[in-house]
Amino acid sequence: MLRLAVAIVSILAVESSTVNDAFNWHEVVPDVIPGPPPELLKVSYDNRLSVKDGDIVTPTQVMHKPVVEWMAEPDTYYTLMMVDPDAPSRSEPRLREFKHWLVINIPGNDVARGDALADYVGSGPPKDTGLHRYVFLVFKQPKKLQISGARVSNKSRRGRTKFHAYKFAEHHHLGDPVAGTFYQAEYDDYVPILHSQLKN
Ligand SMILES: *[C@@H]1O[C@H](CO)[C@@H](O)[C@H](O)[C@H]1NC(C)=O
């Protein structure tokens, strides 16, 4: 029994230390958040591509809204954010961060039942700007949030640039993220399609 407990504790320790390593190594800490999240967020595209630890993927592979899972407590609301701190490039991030997805008031981890303030848009790193980091963070809400104003569809870039995930969390008293992960991507043929979709 003790041996089993020790084994479980060390598995958890290994998992969380890789989350730490990846967030630190790729400087998501401190560029986006001051410390790494304790839990690895599960993000999976089209039921087959799981992304984590700064994996390199193509914009084509991540064009559809992914399934995101975390260990949710009962009777608790969560906020999910996805941001690109490398807009328009990691070396000159003057539009940092680009808001790719923002859903508040998610009951448990049922993202579809949350309130999408900004609908999911995939990765659109401009040509010749190298790899961008795409960071997913989940925050536990102390209570249901009341945020008025229009919702941003997946056809619009309104209000998406110069967003700050961590400031948003501070403003709404969400504390530090409870889970997170990220991938990296650079330009491919899907990017011009996405950019024309975002013209509205
Ligand atoms: C945009 O959102 C609509 C409505 O939610 C959805 O049907 C459509 O598939 C989305 N388009 C893309 C490219 O994600």
Side-chain angles (χ1 to χ4, degrees):
M1 188 61 194
L2 178 63
R3 213 177 287 168
L4 180 63
V6 169
I8 290 171
V9 167
S10 48
I11 287 167
L12 290 175
V14 166
E15 173 149 308
S16 88
S17 80
T18 55
V19 182
N20 292 358
D21 289 350
F23 271 76
N24 288 315
W25 175 253
H26 291 283
E27 297 174 346
V28 177
V29 173
D31 289 350
V32 180
I33 43 173
E39 184 194 325
L40 177 65
L41 190 63
K42 284 192 194 146
V43 176
S44 138
Y45 284 91
D46 301 320
N47 290 320
R48 52 197 158 84
L49 175 70
S50 290
V51 293
K52 62 168 167 43
D53 297 341
D55 287 345
I56 295 175
V57 301
T58 65
T60 300
Q61 289 176 302
V62 295
M63 61 193 273
H64 299 129
K65 191 188 296 191
V67 171
V68 181
E69 291 168 279
W70 63 94
M71 311 248 270
E73 291 170 21
D75 305 318
T76 305
Y77 289 110
Y78 291 85
T79 291
L80 167 66
M81 308 185 203
M82 173 191 176
V83 296
D84 169 11
D86 305 322
S89 70
R90 185 158 171 180
S91 54
E92 308 249 348
R94 63 180 189 279
L95 300 178
R96 172 177 291 175
E97 298 152 9
F98 189 93
K99 188 200 299 168
H100 282 262
W101 201 12
L102 174 58
V103 188
I104 62 167
N105 296 334
I106 300 169
N109 61 13
D110 192 351
V111 178
R113 287 176 55 214
D115 182 6
L117 299 186
D119 211 355
Y120 176 83
V121 293
S123 296
K127 214 171 201 163
D128 303 321
T129 61
L131 287 170
H132 290 220
R133 297 162 294 174
Y134 296 89
V135 183
F136 294 82
L137 298 170
V138 167
F139 295 82
K140 186 174 152 180
Q141 299 177 195
K143 59 180 168 57
K144 195 164 189 179
L145 300 180
Q146 307 291 340
I147 299 180
S148 54
R151 279 37 184 160
V152 180
S153 84
N154 63 7
K155 292 188 167 58
S156 171
R157 54 166 66 237
R158 189 172 45 77
R160 290 185 185 268
T161 56
K162 296 191 179 178
F163 176 70
H164 297 282
Y166 199 73
K167 278 190 194 157
F168 180 93
E170 277 187 323
H171 184 76
H172 296 287
H173 309 287
L174 306 183
D176 288 313
V178 293
T181 197
F182 65 103
Y183 66 80
Q184 301 182 89
E186 63 183 322
Y187 182 89
D188 82 352
D189 291 348
Y190 173 65
V191 172
I193 299 171
L194 178 62
H195 286 184
S196 66
Q197 176 189 315
L198 289 175
K199 281 228 169 72
N200 302 298

